[in-house]
């Protein structure tokens, strides 16, 4: 089972205190948490920092295509502890599907928990880079991921 959610309500709606707590989890459990996937370390992108927070942190708690126009996503925020849990349990937890995809020149590893929460790692030379993690809510995106996963698993890579 993944860790409990960290809710804004637990901080009485105090966004600054909530963000600080999420950032502490990110630094201690993810960025400096010694994460290993498939025998390789998992790193986080630091630059560009914004508000004294690493770029990867913002990708774990915000949504939006335009980098400077991203907004907080409470579902992502609540599940920040799930990132570590999914990475450490992929391969051992049957509810986490694992597959690879190729987007342009980038090879990614997708870790999808119960078709609900997706962690994306980018394969690098000698390590993995944590790209993002988010809840899969849109039916169109879920269908796309299912097709991609099923095709990958059918080939048996």
């Amino acid at each position: 089972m993944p860790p409990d959610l960290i809710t804004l309500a637990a901080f009485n709606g105090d966004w600054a205190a909530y963000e600080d707590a999420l950032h502490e989890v990110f630094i201690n459990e993810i960025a400096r948490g010694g994460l290993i996937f498939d025998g390789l370390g998992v790193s986080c992108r630091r630059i560009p920092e914004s508000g004294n927070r690493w770029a990867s942190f913002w990708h774990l708690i915000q949504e939006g295509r335009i980098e400077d126009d991203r907004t907080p996503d409470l579902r992502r925020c609540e599940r920040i502890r799930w990132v570590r849990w999914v990475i450490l349990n992929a391969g051992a937890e049957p509810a986490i599907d694992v597959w690879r995809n190729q987007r342009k020149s980038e090879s990614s590893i997708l870790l999808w928990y119960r078709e609900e929460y997706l962690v994306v790692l980018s394969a690098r030379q000698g390590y993995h880079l944590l790209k993002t993690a988010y809840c899969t809510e849109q039916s169109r995106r879920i269908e796309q991921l299912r097709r991609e996963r099923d095709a990958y698993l059918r080939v048996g890579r």
Side-chain angles (χ1 to χ4, degrees), residues 28-30 32-35 80-89:
N28 294 329
E29 297 181 17
I30 300 169
R32 297 187 178 136
L35 287 176
I80 194 163
R81 279 205 162 109
W82 287 25
V83 174
R84 178 181 182 83
W85 183 84
V86 167
I87 291 170
L88 292 179
N89 289 283

